[in-house]
Amino acid sequence: MTKDIEWLKGLKEGDKVATQNALGWSRNSVYRVHVIVKVTPSGRINLNSGEVIDPITGMTRGENNKKILPITPEIEANIQHQRNVSMIKSHLSKVDLYSQDLDKIQKLSKFMEDLGLTEKAETNR
């Protein structure tokens, strides 16, 4: 067993872990948090998602092999980022931008400029 999965031996029921899915079209990873529901006598780890982790490889069994990881501050930040992006995307499409006052539209426009998505808006014509 290699060092990178040595930590699996200490896991027990109720512990939280993350799985990592790499997006094929992106260099970003998507992390999901899972709770361990059972560790079998042979060392297999059963997650609340129904996935089973092989204690030798540290990977889920089956077609969608995902790596199991300890939840680090970096992973927690990534998960929070994912949640925020999802929330923004889902709510922004519902906003009636035409009903917003000029100050709010200018702030949104500035944010988009900062992201490099638009050219600097002209304030007076």
Side-chain angles (χ1 to χ4, degrees):
M1 185 174 294
T2 62
K3 281 185 177 182
D4 62 329
I5 58 172
E6 187 73 28
W7 68 278
L8 295 175
K9 289 181 185 178
L11 293 174
K12 60 191 178 309
E13 185 177 321
D15 286 349
K16 290 184 179 181
V17 294
T19 54
Q20 177 184 20
N21 296 354
L23 300 176
W25 47 268
S26 170
R27 59 179 183 252
N28 296 326
S29 291
V30 175
Y31 296 96
R32 302 276 185 250
V33 174
H34 304 278
V35 177
I36 296 173
V37 294
K38 182 178 182 180
V39 179
T40 68
S42 65
R44 282 189 306 224
I45 301 165
N46 298 340
L47 304 178
N48 63 326
S49 62
E51 295 168 300
V52 177
I53 305 299
D54 185 312
I56 304 299
T57 64
M59 305 285 284
T60 57
R61 293 179 159 195
E63 294 178 14
N64 292 331
N65 286 358
K66 296 179 232 169
K67 187 175 184 179
I68 186 174
L69 302 163
I71 299 176
T72 63
E74 293 81 13
I75 289 175
E76 286 178 340
N78 181 287
I79 290 168
Q80 187 60 49
H81 183 264
Q82 289 171 204
R83 288 180 183 145
N84 290 343
V85 168
S86 293
M87 183 271 304
I88 289 167
K89 287 174 77 173
S90 96
H91 291 294
L92 193 56
S93 65
K94 300 172 188 170
V95 174
D96 178 8
L97 294 174
Y98 289 103
S99 69
Q100 304 302 312
D101 63 40
L102 180 59
D103 184 54
K104 288 180 183 175
I105 295 299
Q106 286 176 328
K107 286 178 184 176
L108 181 58
S109 180
K110 173 73 171 106
F111 175 69
M112 292 177 67
E113 286 174 26
D114 291 346
L115 293 176
L117 299 175
T118 63
E119 293 179 18
K120 189 168 181 163
E122 292 182 36
T123 54
N124 294 324
R125 286 197 164 226

